[in-house]
Coordinates of all heavy atoms in Angstrom, one line a residue:
V25 N 54.9 57.0 -234.2 CA 53.6 56.9 -233.5 C 53.4 58.2 -232.8 O 54.1 58.6 -231.9 CB 53.7 55.8 -232.4 CG1 52.4 55.7 -231.6 CG2 54.0 54.4 -233.1
A26 N 52.4 59.0 -233.3 CA 52.2 60.3 -232.8 C 51.3 60.3 -231.5 O 50.5 59.4 -231.4 CB 51.5 61.2 -233.9
G27 N 51.6 61.3 -230.7 CA 50.8 61.4 -229.5 C 50.1 62.8 -229.5 O 50.0 63.5 -230.5
H28 N 49.7 63.3 -228.3 CA 49.1 64.6 -228.2 C 49.4 65.2 -226.9 O 49.7 64.6 -225.9 CB 47.5 64.4 -228.4 CG 46.9 63.6 -227.3 ND1 46.9 62.2 -227.3 CD2 46.3 63.9 -226.1 CE1 46.3 61.8 -226.2 NE2 46.0 62.8 -225.5
L29 N 49.4 66.6 -226.9 CA 49.7 67.3 -225.7 C 48.5 67.3 -224.7 O 47.4 67.4 -225.1 CB 49.9 68.8 -226.1 CG 51.3 69.2 -226.7 CD1 51.3 70.7 -226.9 CD2 52.4 68.8 -225.8
V30 N 48.9 67.1 -223.5 CA 47.9 67.0 -222.4 C 48.1 68.1 -221.4 O 47.2 68.4 -220.6 CB 47.9 65.6 -221.7 CG1 47.5 64.5 -222.7 CG2 49.3 65.3 -221.1
R31 N 49.3 68.7 -221.4 CA 49.5 69.7 -220.4 C 50.7 70.6 -220.8 O 51.7 70.1 -221.4 CB 49.8 69.1 -219.0 CG 49.9 70.0 -217.8 CD 49.8 69.2 -216.5 NE 49.8 70.1 -215.4 CZ 50.8 70.1 -214.5 NH1 51.9 69.4 -214.6 NH2 50.7 70.9 -213.4
V32 N 50.6 71.9 -220.5 CA 51.7 72.8 -220.7 C 51.9 73.6 -219.4 O 50.9 74.3 -219.0 CB 51.5 73.8 -221.9 CG1 52.6 74.8 -222.0 CG2 51.3 73.0 -223.2
V33 N 53.1 73.5 -218.8 CA 53.3 74.3 -217.6 C 54.7 75.0 -217.8 O 55.7 74.4 -217.9 CB 53.4 73.4 -216.3 CG1 53.7 74.2 -215.1 CG2 52.1 72.6 -216.2
G34 N 54.6 76.3 -217.8 CA 55.8 77.1 -218.0 C 56.4 76.8 -219.4 O 55.7 76.9 -220.4
L35 N 57.6 76.3 -219.4 CA 58.3 75.9 -220.6 C 58.2 74.4 -220.9 O 58.7 73.9 -221.9 CB 59.8 76.3 -220.5 CG 60.1 77.8 -220.4 CD1 61.6 78.0 -220.3 CD2 59.6 78.5 -221.6
T36 N 57.5 73.6 -220.0 CA 57.5 72.2 -220.2 C 56.2 71.8 -220.9 O 55.1 72.2 -220.5 CB 57.6 71.5 -218.8 OG1 58.7 72.0 -218.1 CG2 57.7 70.0 -219.0
L37 N 56.3 70.9 -221.9 CA 55.2 70.3 -222.6 C 55.1 68.9 -222.1 O 56.1 68.1 -222.1 CB 55.4 70.4 -224.1 CG 55.8 71.7 -224.7 CD1 56.0 71.6 -226.2 CD2 54.8 72.8 -224.4
E38 N 53.9 68.4 -221.8 CA 53.6 67.0 -221.4 C 52.8 66.4 -222.5 O 51.7 67.0 -222.9 CB 52.9 67.0 -220.1 CG 53.7 67.5 -218.9 CD 53.0 67.3 -217.6 OE1 52.1 66.4 -217.5 OE2 53.4 68.0 -216.6
A39 N 53.2 65.2 -223.0 CA 52.5 64.6 -224.1 C 52.2 63.1 -223.7 O 52.9 62.5 -222.9 CB 53.3 64.6 -225.4
S40 N 51.1 62.6 -224.2 CA 50.7 61.2 -224.0 C 50.4 60.5 -225.3 O 50.1 61.2 -226.3 CB 49.4 61.2 -223.1 OG 49.0 59.9 -222.9
G41 N 50.7 59.2 -225.3 CA 50.3 58.4 -226.5 C 51.4 58.2 -227.5 O 51.3 57.5 -228.5
C42 N 52.6 58.8 -227.2 CA 53.7 58.5 -228.2 C 54.9 58.0 -227.4 O 55.1 58.4 -226.2 CB 54.1 59.8 -228.9 SG 54.7 61.2 -227.9
S43 N 55.7 57.2 -228.0 CA 56.9 56.6 -227.4 C 58.1 57.2 -228.0 O 58.4 57.1 -229.2 CB 56.9 55.1 -227.6 OG 58.0 54.5 -227.0
A44 N 58.9 57.9 -227.1 CA 60.1 58.5 -227.6 C 61.2 58.5 -226.5 O 60.9 58.6 -225.3 CB 59.8 60.0 -228.0
A45 N 62.4 58.3 -226.9 CA 63.5 58.2 -226.0 C 63.9 59.6 -225.5 O 63.8 60.6 -226.2 CB 64.7 57.5 -226.6
I46 N 64.6 59.6 -224.4 CA 65.1 60.9 -223.9 C 66.2 61.4 -224.8 O 67.1 60.6 -225.3 CB 65.7 60.7 -222.5 CG1 64.6 60.5 -221.5 CG2 66.6 61.9 -222.1 CD1 65.1 60.3 -220.0
G47 N 66.1 62.6 -225.2 CA 67.0 63.2 -226.1 C 66.5 63.2 -227.6 O 67.1 63.8 -228.5

Side-chain angles (χ1 to χ4, degrees):
V25 180
H28 60 278
L29 281 182
V30 295
R31 190 167 183 244
V32 177
V33 179
L35 296 177
T36 309
L37 310 180
E38 294 184 22
S40 178
C42 62
S43 177
I46 289 180

